[in-house]
């Protein structure tokens, strides 16, 4: 069929034509945000899950809904190179400028702007990538100690007060949370803890890879009280079916049940793969309905394309020893696997291959869901490893 009208949307952060299977969670978050707005107790959220399960698009959907409801959102994406204070100061600046726009009293907003100027100035030496805003003069005595913990607490308090004055609530949306260095994350959590105790209307909805669960140190116990940790996973079969058939139906195209079954079997309900398979099925099919044979051709094409790009770029980052480790894991299936079992497949001692495993974890290829267990962070990677290393 005509690729021009193909409704599917494979790609990191690309909104799907049908956001399937997340309604309950979206509603839970919406309730929590409304409670925060009303000055009631509610926990924020931390979504964790593998690449391609739909964390970013879910976070964006929740943010757009919240903005439509009048919440002041703060959008922060943590890339590997920038410090959290730098990311926060530029994102918060945008939020404050937006809060500053309307006409009513804005003492609180101006004060928060000055707190932000202090914050940026005080931490500039420690975090070189901070830009000092020129909108306002720093305010002496607020957020200017140079200690991230207390300055962030001051800053969030000033922003929470400004939000109260404006009759709104501030929601921090933080994606790729796993890239935030632990001590900076810990400061953020401590600061959030402070504002939640003074019942200021600020909360956070964040997302990241499953290694976030390993979040350690003093931040951990606070984090568990402040945030609900929600696993974002593959879609169950009803939701996976909806992700596939609803977008086509809107274009007047049906799927034969056997075609849906083939796609669910191959993708295991992983959202990114559903989009890929949907896209290829559409392109190979002659017309409606999309048949089982079309879905099988889509499997061949989707795998060829993923092997050449999505999987391949990750594979190319590995050293030969890391490739052998991943291949041994794949031999055991999709996982998680015991480190001892992987070592055994390799005919090596656990202690000898431990550095390789650690390297793979540092590269974000593997994570440890429980002590001594190892799993792929990219779904279906086991099948790829078997295809590429016979
Ligand atoms: N609930 C869903 N239903 C259908 N497609 C989805 C869903 N969630 C995500 N997708 C699709 O999956 C892909 C990956 O989504 P993304 O949010 O980037 O994942 P993550 O941030 O977890 O790596 C995108 O192509 C997106 O359109
Ligand atoms: Mg993402």
């Amino acid at each position: 069929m005509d690729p021009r009208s193909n409704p599917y949307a494979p790609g990191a952060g690309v909104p799907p034509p049908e956001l399937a299977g997340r309604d309950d969670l979206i509603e839970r978050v919406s309730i929590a945000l409304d409670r925060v707005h009303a000055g009631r107790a509610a926990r924020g959220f931390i979504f964790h899950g593998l690449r391609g399960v739909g964390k970013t698009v879910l976070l964006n959907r929740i943010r757009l809904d919240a903005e439509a409801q009048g919440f002041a959102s703060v959008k922060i994406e943590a890339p590997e190179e920038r410090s959290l204070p730098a990311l926060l100061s530029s994102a918060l600046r945008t939020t404050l400028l937006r809060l500053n726009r309307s006409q009513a009293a804005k003492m609180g907003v101006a004060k928060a702007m000055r707190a932000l100027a202090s914050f940026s100035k005080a931490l500039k030496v420690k975090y070189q990538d901070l830009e000092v805003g020129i909108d306002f003069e720093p305010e002496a005595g607020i957020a200017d100690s140079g200690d991230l913990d207390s300055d962030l607490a001051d800053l969030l308090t000033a922003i929470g007060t400004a939000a109260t004055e404006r009759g709104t609530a501030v929601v921090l949306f933080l994606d790729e949370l796993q890239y935030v260095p632990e001590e900076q994350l810990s400061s953020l959590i401590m600061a959030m803890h402070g504002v939640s105790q003074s019942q200021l209307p600020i909360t956070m909805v964040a997302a990241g890879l499953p290694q976030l669960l390993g979040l350690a140190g003093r931040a951990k116990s606070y984090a568990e009280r402040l945030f609900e940790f929600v696993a974002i996973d593959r879609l169950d079969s009803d939701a996976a079916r909806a992700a596939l058939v609803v977008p086509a139906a809107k274009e007047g195209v049906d799927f034969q049940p056997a075609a849906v079954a083939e796609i669910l079997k191959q993708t295991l309900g992983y959202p990114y793969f559903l989009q890929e398979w949907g896209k290829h099925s559409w392109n190979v099919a002659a017309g409606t309905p999309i048949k089982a044979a079309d879905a099988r051709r889509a499997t061949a094409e989707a795998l060829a394309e993923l092997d050449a790009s999505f999987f391949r770029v990750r594979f190319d980052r590995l050293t030969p020893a890391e490739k052998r480790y991943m291949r041994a894991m794949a031999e055991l299936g999709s996982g998680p696997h015991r480190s001892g079992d992987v070592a055994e497949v390799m005919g090596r001692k656990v202690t000898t291959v431990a550095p390789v495993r650690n390297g793979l974890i540092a590269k974000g290829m593997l994570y440890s869901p429980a002590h001594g267990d190892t799993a792929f962070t990219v779904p279906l990677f086991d099948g790829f490893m078997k295809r590429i290393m016979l």
Side-chain angles (χ1 to χ4, degrees):
M1 287 183 286
D2 189 352
R4 286 180 196 81
S5 49
N6 194 319
Y8 298 98
V14 185
E18 168 76 7
L19 187 70
R22 307 294 189 215
D23 290 354
D24 291 349
L25 181 54
I26 289 173
E27 176 63 10
R28 258 165 67 200
V29 177
S30 162
I31 292 170
L33 297 188
D34 285 344
R35 289 184 57 89
V36 169
H37 192 180
R40 295 181 192 277
R43 284 191 290 173
F45 288 83
I46 295 182
F47 303 145
H48 56 92
L50 302 182
R51 292 248 177 252
V53 291
K55 300 177 298 296
T56 298
V57 299
L58 179 62
L59 204 62
N60 286 339
R61 161 65 79 82
I62 292 170
R63 179 173 53 82
L64 294 174
D65 287 354
E67 285 170 4
Q69 300 287 315
F71 284 89
S73 70
V74 186
K75 185 183 179 215
I76 308 148
E77 182 167 2
E80 277 161 284
E81 333 73 67
R82 289 192 71 194
S83 72
L84 182 68
L87 294 165
L88 273 173
S89 81
S90 60
L92 288 170
R93 181 171 174 273
T94 309
T95 307
L96 285 172
L97 288 175
R98 243 185 280 136
L99 274 183
N100 206 23
R101 223 178 266 154
S102 60
Q103 297 305 312
K106 34 186 146 178
M107 288 293 294
V109 179
K111 186 161 182 192
M113 287 285 210
R114 292 197 298 277
L116 181 59
S118 300
F119 177 85
S120 309
K121 200 172 159 211
L123 291 162
K124 174 93 184 116
V125 183
K126 190 157 176 210
Y127 303 97
Q128 301 279 336
D129 57 347
L130 256 169
E131 288 155 32
V132 178
I134 44 158
D135 313 276
F136 283 84
E137 281 301 307
E139 169 136 347
I142 297 181
D144 65 354
S145 75
D147 171 56
L148 183 57
D149 275 12
S150 67
D151 288 356
L152 197 49
D154 279 2
L155 178 60
L156 291 186
T157 302
I159 287 175
T161 309
T164 310
E165 180 191 278
R166 307 317 306 257
T168 184
V170 174
V171 191
L172 269 54
F173 291 94
L174 230 160
D175 202 0
E176 306 284 3
L177 193 63
Q178 77 280 351
Y179 288 139
V180 178
E182 189 154 317
E183 101 283 348
Q184 295 173 28
L185 182 57
S186 163
S187 296
L188 176 64
I189 289 169
M190 302 300 281
M192 294 294 297
H193 177 64
V195 289
S196 86
Q197 280 187 327
S198 33
Q199 283 172 324
L200 287 168
I202 301 197
T203 190
M204 179 171 96
V205 184
L209 293 176
Q211 53 259 41
L212 270 180
L213 285 177
L215 183 76
R218 69 196 171 114
K220 195 185 174 84
S221 61
Y222 285 104
E224 281 163 354
R225 270 177 279 155
L226 281 173
F227 303 107
E228 271 188 61
F229 284 79
V230 181
I232 306 297
D233 211 336
R234 47 178 145 157
L235 302 177
D236 65 26
S237 58
D238 285 344
R241 183 174 296 108
L244 213 51
V245 306
V246 172
K250 284 186 187 149
E251 306 290 328
V253 171
D254 292 328
F255 277 86
Q256 282 187 345
V260 174
E262 158 72 9
I263 295 174
L264 297 202
K265 183 178 118 201
Q266 294 293 337
T267 60
L268 303 174
Y270 281 105
Y272 168 59
F273 297 122
L274 285 166
Q275 297 300 326
E276 285 286 2
W277 260 255
K279 179 187 96 177
H280 287 286
S281 306
W282 178 283
N283 289 350
V284 302
T288 184
I290 295 171
K291 301 186 186 65
D294 299 325
R296 285 192 297 272
R297 270 182 66 200
T299 296
E301 299 209 352
L303 285 177
E305 199 179 298
L306 290 168
D307 286 2
S309 56
F310 184 76
F311 293 135
R312 183 79 210 199
V313 294
R314 291 171 166 82
F315 181 77
D316 286 343
R317 277 189 233 135
L318 307 178
T319 66
E322 289 170 346
K323 287 175 182 167
R324 285 194 296 276
Y325 194 92
M326 300 281 278
R327 181 62 183 82
M329 275 182 65
E331 197 57 37
L332 296 166
S334 61
H337 305 297
R338 304 293 302 167
S339 304
D341 296 344
V342 183
E344 200 179 310
V345 172
M346 301 176 81
R348 309 278 299 276
K349 278 200 197 124
V350 184
T351 46
T352 338
V353 293
V356 181
R357 175 177 179 267
N358 292 342
L360 285 163
I361 290 174
K363 284 186 181 171
M365 293 301 300
L366 300 180
Y367 73 106
S368 180
H371 184 71
D373 275 351
T374 311
F376 295 106
T377 55
V378 179
L380 307 188
F381 213 81
D382 54 319
F384 166 72
M385 287 307 298
K386 288 182 169 170
R387 288 191 294 280
I388 194 148
M389 291 173 75
L390 296 174

